[in-house]
Amino acid sequence: SKNVIATIAIGEVYYNEWSKNILPNWKKYCQNNNLGLIVFKNHLISENDPKWKKPHWQKMLVGREIKKNNLNINSVCWLDTDTLVNPYAPNIFDYYDEKTIGLVSLRKNLPFNYNLAIKKLAFLRNKFYDSDYPLDSALFMTCKQLYEYHNLPEQSDEACGGTIVFNLKNHSHLFEKWFYKYDKNIKGLTPGEQTHLNYEIQNYGKITWLNYKFQSIWTFEMAMYYPFLYNFGRNDNVLIRECIEACLKNNFFLHFAGSWHESTMWKIGKFFDSEKKMIYLKDFE
């Protein structure tokens, strides 16, 4: 295939967890849409390199590595490993312009009100997970405040870095340049690259803003549509699985971004693991 999905899964334990719970439906999605799949199991830069940064950042080097291996590939869809895929979802590359970089907004064009979603998220975490969870925190930063905090010029939007589509010829050198622009000890609200990469891509300006369904956010979805999971459903894997599968019937990719309890729910696995469920999902689509 000329188009591929790519990801990084470093460490045997994590790789095996991802292979068991996420990979099966990625493979079905790739087969259904004639896509390739590339998984990097090792760091793409030496940990002794002064520019080494965590794997979140190393996604910027994926294009370079593919080119080094002389693979005949046109465009790449980067997916974070904590992303479940509806195997019968449409081909993401059908919605992408190769002259641009494809992103999914974290704040705009959502199927619900963004401010309401983060308010519910904070309230439910405080109510059911930890009474010390703040009801007013960096979660509520505006775009202006977010970029100012990182000493970057303000941009008009914030994309989640879990889904990024780029053309190998047009963009791999840009991502590599952006990676090496920042030092090993770069600081941010999180250990990840999201705000800095947002700045670079939006400053570059050639963007295809993809449908939210190509990176629906489970923490938002759970707060908006499945709030009961915070209470009596927290440890009920059967109920959690049913809700996640229902969510994937309304979306294409489901990203478990973050570090709180909700973001680890993909690890329960066994999603659409029966022939009956898979036939239903195919017929539904």
Side-chain angles (χ1 to χ4, degrees):
S1 174
K2 296 272 181 148
N3 296 324
V4 300
I5 287 176
T7 197
I8 299 174
I10 296 176
E12 184 177 1
V13 172
Y14 188 83
Y15 176 82
N16 290 338
E17 204 164 38
W18 172 81
S19 297
K20 178 182 176 183
N21 300 322
I22 300 283
L23 178 58
N25 286 338
W26 280 33
K27 288 173 72 174
K28 288 186 178 72
Y29 177 78
C30 288
Q31 289 163 355
N32 289 337
N33 291 291
N34 190 32
L35 302 176
L37 177 59
I38 296 175
V39 184
F40 294 93
K41 297 175 66 176
N42 300 300
H43 289 283
L44 304 187
I45 181 174
S46 169
E47 293 184 69
N48 295 321
D49 193 296
K51 293 292 186 177
W52 180 90
K53 292 178 281 296
K54 293 186 177 183
H56 311 81
W57 284 83
Q58 293 180 40
K59 67 181 69 172
M60 300 186 205
L61 301 178
V62 162
R64 180 189 74 179
E65 294 302 306
I66 292 174
K67 290 178 77 173
K68 278 169 57 176
N69 283 274
N70 295 316
L71 300 177
N72 185 24
I73 287 169
N74 192 35
S75 293
V76 178
C77 171
W78 164 270
L79 282 187
D80 277 4
T81 48
D82 54 352
T83 303
L84 282 169
V85 168
N86 177 336
Y88 295 101
N91 188 340
I92 190 170
F93 293 97
D94 290 343
Y95 299 83
Y96 167 65
D97 178 352
E98 294 178 354
K99 297 176 183 177
T100 69
I101 295 173
L103 297 176
V104 180
S105 175
L106 190 63
R107 296 173 181 251
K108 296 181 180 180
N109 301 315
L110 309 183
F112 41 74
N113 181 276
Y114 170 76
N115 287 323
L116 179 60
I118 57 176
K119 284 180 181 179
K120 285 190 173 185
L121 179 60
F123 173 80
L124 291 164
R125 283 176 174 173
N126 174 278
K127 182 75 172 176
F128 296 109
Y129 284 177
D130 186 348
S131 59
D132 290 330
Y133 189 88
L135 294 176
D136 186 14
S137 68
L139 182 67
F140 296 94
M141 275 185 169
T142 63
C143 271
K144 185 176 189 298
Q145 291 170 326
L146 177 70
Y147 290 104
E148 282 183 351
Y149 179 88
H150 292 88
N151 296 314
L152 295 168
E154 180 186 356
Q155 304 300 308
S156 63
D157 204 346
E158 179 190 12
C160 185
T163 299
I164 301 174
V165 189
F166 64 95
N167 179 264
L168 208 63
K169 179 180 178 181
N170 294 333
H171 306 118
S172 59
H173 64 288
L174 288 175
F175 281 100
E176 184 178 2
K177 181 180 75 173
W178 295 334
F179 177 87
Y180 283 103
K181 179 178 176 179
Y182 296 98
D183 292 329
K184 184 175 186 176
N185 297 318
I186 185 75
K187 301 293 184 183
L189 280 175
T190 67
E193 81 309 329
Q194 183 158 294
T195 306
H196 296 86
L197 187 54
N198 258 279
Y199 163 70
E200 297 295 348
I201 296 176
Q202 292 189 57
N203 187 53
Y204 168 64
K206 298 177 183 178
I207 300 170
T208 295
W209 288 102
L210 298 162
N211 193 304
Y212 166 81
K213 290 186 176 185
F214 281 114
Q215 191 177 195
S216 56
I217 305 296
W218 172 244
T219 51
F220 290 176
E221 297 281 325
M222 182 169 153
M224 292 298 295
Y225 304 127
Y226 312 101
F228 48 84
L229 291 180
Y230 284 91
N231 188 8
F232 61 84
R234 178 173 179 176
N235 298 307
D236 185 339
N237 285 355
V238 174
L239 181 58
I240 292 170
R241 188 176 296 112
E242 287 181 355
C243 292
I244 289 173
E245 289 179 349
C247 189
L248 271 172
K249 290 171 185 172
N250 292 323
N251 295 290
F252 306 148
F253 301 166
L254 182 59
H255 186 194
F256 290 74
S259 57
W260 275 73
H261 179 69
E262 316 98 303
S263 301
T264 65
M265 288 180 172
W266 64 270
K267 296 182 179 182
I268 67 173
K270 298 183 179 179
F271 301 104
F272 302 111
D273 63 339
S274 70
E275 184 179 1
K276 183 179 180 180
K277 281 185 177 181
M278 199 58 74
I279 290 173
Y280 174 86
L281 185 61
K282 182 179 180 180
D283 289 346
F284 182 84
E285 290 301 329

